[in-house]
Amino acid sequence: MLSVLNRGAAAPGALKPWLLLLPLVLFLCAFFLVPLGQVALMSVTEPEFGLGNYAHLTSDSLYLQVFINTFLTALGVALCCLLLGYPLAYLMAQSSPRVAALLMLLVTMSFWTSFLVRTYAWMVLLGNNGPITAALAFLGWNPPPHLLFTRLSSTLAMVHILIPYMVMSLYSVMKRIDPALLRAAESLGARPWSVFRQVYLPLSAPGMVNGATLVFMICLGFYVTPVLLGSPQEQMVAGLIGTQIEEFLDFGQASAMAMVLLASTMIVLTVYHRRFGLDRLWG
Amino acid sequence: MRDPYLQVSGLTKSYGSVQALGGVSLDVEKGEFVTFLGPSGSGKTTTLMIIAGFENATSGSVRVGGRSLSNIPPHARNIGIVFQNYALFPHKTALQNIMFPLDMRGVPAAEAERKARAMLDLVGLSGYGDRWPKDMSGGQQQRIALARALVFEPSLLLLDEPLGALDKNLREQMQIEIKRIQKSLGVTTIFVTHDQSEAMTMSDRIAVFEKGRIDQIGTPQEVYRTPSTPFVARFIGDSNLLPGTVLDPDQGLVRTEHLGLMRLPSRLAAAAGAPVTLMLRPESIHLAGLAAGVSEDAPNRADISVHTVVPYGDSTLLIGRAGGADLRIRLRGPEADGIGSGAALSVLWPASAIHAIPAV
Ligand SMILES: Nc1ncnc2c1ncn2[C@@H]1O[C@H](COP(=O)(O)OP(=O)(O)O)[C@@H](O)[C@H]1O
Ligand SMILES: [Mg+2]
């Protein structure tokens, strides 16, 4: 930012394009940076000045448990998205442009339906009177398992919501793999499996890393889905923050947790940036 | 007679209503360097891809060493290919790229590395084994691709316009290099290009492609001196094509539309009255009075008025009107000094310079 301003000072004309950014910068300051600062301030001032809230976070194992739970869930969701998304993205990359466009439409269709609608749809599907439970009971699973309000149900729903990000990350990388490389491998004696294992898989790895990082980070702060579908005993951080505020009006403690969550996300981003360069995250 | 090493017979290939190949046949001897020469879209790549097994021919067959290749997948054909854009694996170093085919054949790592390093030596890149493809120049990547296609001792080497992306100097250098390596290994090679001078300098034989067929196969001299179709005459080198009618086949006399009577060196294998095209290379036309050893007798001569002069340094191209058609004349060194646009010249050529192309 500093270098940009310096350059602008040297050549006044060069500053103009940056003026276009001004509304966005103002908006972000007013509605993001300022509230974020307030949250940071609250975490060390509510109910009294000091690091008490943070000390409390480390002393009560409940919080640690929730953080671990959050990370494990996010990891699981990212992994499921990868395993389910890879074959789909592969199929899209191999298809004719028309079929690929159709598949892409189907994948992104879940983007166009409201988030809440999708979450409630899962409630209907997985509920005690839902078709899946009925099917399991019919198959002789007696009494049928509780699917709703478990880690399974929230993971399933989050995978559903986040899988388009994974598929798009994978697809954009796979589409750029030169088919001549696969032919070259084949002509050099590689059987189909070796072509995949030795050439396609390593060349699609950037898409796997991008997609998994994206899904993991979004998942860390997920609120609605885990709260509505997840197990109350296995809360995620965002849900716990909500509980702290709604039920205990403990803004200080909630703010401290929000700051730790923010810090975790920043750490993931930093590691990614060090290793791969942030500019690649969005394809 | 012994079977040829590579035997391509009657290949046809259709893409929907587009016929890419309309019956391609050729035989290649072991160790031979054959070039596919032809304009873009004439079916060179398609033929190559059918030999490699990446495309299925609509009909026809490919045999190597007497064995049919149909039903053998590409990975089992043991054919080395150099692609136009090199197709090096970007996630492997130069050495790892060269070791890949050996790896696929289960060669132990130590032996594979030894062979790959020997190959690096052969292509003149000994110290470059640990480089990534992206850190190498086009010419260097080309050599690595060549080394990778040769390290497993393929039964055939196929190169599809491998020098297309290189600049002129590097191209010439790589032409010599590829030829040297091919000779030293004695590998049977098919080289695709649309550059006729590349084909002339590198090949044992040239197959000239036109519209999904091979017009002519022959040594560079044969296709240059005795093209079998007007297309070949036009595509290889510069030429004057003179349409005419056979007058007296036994005496080799032809009446051309624009330059009158012409005498050929030998009798013609065509009936009197049959249409024929005569080819006359621009460099075999001389100025009257300057041509040592060329008979000054009519008929093989013409009077022209020059309208274009193109200097090439080592030679000069003159284009002039004669009998209502353009005649192209290439004069060596200082012969053309002082000739400008508008000059009236008398030119002649030896009968031996005329080649008759039967009308099809
Ligand atoms: N996959 C394909 N689908 C449809 N037509 C094709 C395909 N590949 C090649 N062709 C057509 O076949 C003809 C020969 O192409 P090609 O063998 O690539 O020519 P060259 O290599 O001599 O330039 C061209 O007319 C081309 O348009
Ligand atoms: Mg081609």
Side-chain angles (χ1 to χ4, degrees):
Chain A
M1 200 60 190
L2 200 63
S3 68
V4 165
L5 290 179
N6 282 343
R7 261 209 327 228
L15 201 60
K16 271 188 197 147
W18 294 93
L19 283 178
L20 295 175
L21 277 182
L22 204 60
L24 180 66
V25 170
L26 287 179
F27 178 85
L28 283 179
C29 279
F31 298 104
F32 181 69
L33 281 184
V34 171
L36 192 64
Q38 275 179 334
V39 170
L41 196 66
M42 269 193 286
S43 74
V44 290
T45 54
E46 292 272 339
E48 56 192 24
F49 186 79
L51 292 175
N53 288 323
Y54 291 94
H56 191 210
L57 275 185
T58 52
S59 64
D60 191 334
S61 70
L62 166 77
Y63 296 111
L64 184 64
Q65 196 52 53
V66 169
F67 269 100
I68 290 175
N69 188 29
T70 305
F71 269 82
L72 288 181
T73 306
L75 211 61
V77 169
L79 217 63
C80 288
C81 282
L82 183 59
L83 290 178
L84 292 174
Y86 198 95
L88 180 57
Y90 180 80
L91 186 70
M92 281 168 59
Q94 303 299 308
S95 307
S96 67
R98 277 182 54 185
V99 176
L102 189 73
L103 286 172
M104 184 58 102
L105 193 73
L106 287 177
V107 169
T108 50
M109 191 124 84
S110 55
F111 268 166
W112 316 133
T113 25
S114 142
F115 198 78
L116 267 174
V117 168
R118 276 182 287 162
T119 303
Y120 281 117
W122 278 109
M123 287 178 132
V124 173
L125 271 177
L126 298 173
N128 281 343
N129 302 318
I132 294 177
T133 311
L136 288 175
F138 179 78
L139 289 173
W141 196 321
N142 212 2
H146 280 284
L147 300 174
L148 203 52
F149 310 125
T150 60
R151 183 183 281 190
L152 176 79
S153 59
S154 64
T155 302
L156 218 55
M158 282 192 283
V159 167
H160 176 217
I161 287 163
L162 294 175
I163 206 163
Y165 293 98
M166 176 62 85
V167 171
M168 287 199 283
S169 298
L170 287 170
Y171 178 72
S172 71
V173 169
M174 287 175 175
K175 206 57 207 165
R176 270 177 285 168
I177 295 177
D178 183 358
L181 292 176
L182 309 179
R183 285 190 160 186
E186 224 182 324
S187 77
L188 294 168
R191 288 158 189 283
W193 168 250
S194 299
V195 174
F196 177 76
R197 177 65 198 80
Q198 295 272 336
V199 181
Y200 203 88
L201 195 65
L203 290 180
S204 63
M208 295 167 30
V209 174
N210 289 355
T213 309
L214 210 56
V215 169
F216 182 79
M217 282 193 320
I218 298 175
C219 212
L220 277 186
F222 233 96
Y223 177 71
V224 180
T225 307
V227 165
L228 290 182
L229 290 175
S231 151
Q233 283 79 45
E234 296 175 332
Q235 269 192 315
M236 287 178 62
V237 177
L240 187 58
I241 293 173
T243 315
Q244 294 278 355
I245 292 173
E246 285 167 17
E247 289 178 23
F248 306 109
L249 290 174
D250 191 346
F251 282 89
Q253 195 60 64
S255 302
M257 275 196 287
M259 293 317 290
V260 173
L261 184 60
L262 179 67
S264 327
T265 313
M266 298 303 278
I267 289 171
V268 173
L269 264 182
T270 311
V271 169
Y272 179 91
H273 182 56
R274 282 278 161 78
R275 187 78 181 72
F276 306 104
L278 256 191
D279 45 340
R280 282 177 40 185
L281 192 54
W282 300 100
Chain B
M1 206 186 97
R2 197 170 51 90
D3 272 351
Y5 183 64
L6 168 68
Q7 196 171 20
V8 176
S9 13
L11 288 187
T12 67
K13 174 74 184 174
S14 304
Y15 292 105
S17 61
V18 179
Q19 188 171 51
L21 295 184
V24 167
S25 303
L26 87 156
D27 293 343
V28 179
E29 293 300 326
K30 202 170 169 69
E32 217 182 352
F33 191 113
V34 172
T35 295
F36 288 0
L37 174 65
S40 174
S42 57
K44 308 179 299 289
T45 298
T46 305
T47 306
L48 218 58
M49 288 299 114
I50 291 173
I51 295 173
F54 291 119
E55 297 281 1
N56 286 314
T58 308
S59 68
S61 71
V62 178
R63 306 173 79 83
V64 173
R67 193 173 65 132
S68 169
L69 288 189
S70 47
N71 302 323
I72 300 180
H75 71 78
R77 290 196 177 192
N78 206 40
I79 293 176
I81 308 179
V82 176
F83 294 83
Q84 175 160 19
N85 59 357
Y86 322 128
L88 293 179
F89 304 130
H91 61 297
K92 294 182 185 288
T93 62
L95 189 71
Q96 287 167 344
N97 263 282
I98 303 175
M99 284 170 68
F100 182 83
L102 300 174
D103 216 20
M104 290 299 110
R105 285 164 175 75
V107 176
E111 191 191 340
E113 181 168 344
R114 187 181 55 72
K115 283 189 172 175
R117 288 203 186 280
M119 219 56 217
L120 270 176
D121 274 350
L122 184 68
V123 298
L125 289 177
S126 314
Y128 290 76
D130 294 331
R131 291 269 190 111
W132 298 100
K134 66 171 165 43
D135 298 329
M136 307 182 97
S137 71
Q140 290 169 340
Q141 291 187 38
Q142 187 61 259
R143 285 161 201 252
I144 298 297
L146 188 62
R148 188 179 68 172
L150 287 170
V151 71
F152 58 98
E153 295 165 21
S155 52
L156 270 182
L157 176 65
L158 311 179
L159 305 103
D160 193 358
E161 310 214 11
L163 307 179
L166 305 180
D167 62 50
K168 190 168 173 295
N169 282 338
L170 200 52
R171 270 178 94 102
E172 279 169 10
Q173 202 182 319
M174 282 305 293
Q175 287 171 12
I176 295 167
E177 190 80 333
I178 289 176
K179 195 66 214 203
R180 173 183 71 79
I181 292 165
Q182 187 266 341
K183 265 212 170 116
S184 76
L185 298 178
V187 59
T188 313
T189 300
I190 295 179
F191 183 97
V192 168
T193 182
H194 58 256
D195 178 339
Q196 49 110 0
S197 73
E198 199 163 279
M200 295 295 286
T201 53
M202 296 180 77
S203 323
D204 293 327
R205 284 192 301 153
I206 299 175
V208 185
F209 275 69
E210 185 199 5
K211 295 184 186 147
R213 291 172 185 281
I214 296 180
D215 269 23
Q216 186 175 9
I217 308 178
T219 64
Q221 266 202 6
E222 280 165 3
V223 292
Y224 186 78
R225 294 205 180 144
T226 56
S228 61
T229 67
F231 174 82
V232 175
R234 266 194 301 268
F235 199 74
I236 297 179
D238 200 2
S239 63
N240 294 293
L241 292 178
L242 313 166
T245 322
V246 176
L247 209 60
D248 183 345
D250 291 329
Q251 296 210 42
L253 281 178
V254 171
R255 178 168 301 286
T256 62
E257 268 175 45
H258 304 290
L259 295 182
L261 207 59
M262 293 249 190
R263 171 166 290 133
L264 275 66
S266 55
R267 67 178 302 277
L268 272 161
V276 68
T277 302
L278 300 186
M279 183 201 70
L280 191 53
R281 294 289 183 192
E283 69 272 17
S284 49
I285 302 179
H286 306 273
L287 295 179
L290 283 177
V294 178
S295 151
E296 300 261 339
D297 295 348
N300 295 340
R301 58 184 305 155
D303 294 316
I304 66 166
S305 66
V306 176
H307 62 73
T308 307
V309 179
V310 187
Y312 279 90
D314 58 344
S315 65
T316 306
L317 177 69
L318 306 176
I319 308 175
R321 292 303 273 185
D326 271 350
L327 195 66
R328 302 165 73 85
I329 302 160
R330 176 88 73 149
L331 296 180
R332 225 135 269 297
E335 276 182 60
D337 287 358
I339 299 178
S341 182
L345 299 175
S346 189
V347 295
L348 47 78
W349 51 88
S352 62
I354 306 172
H355 169 67
I357 303 168
V360 274

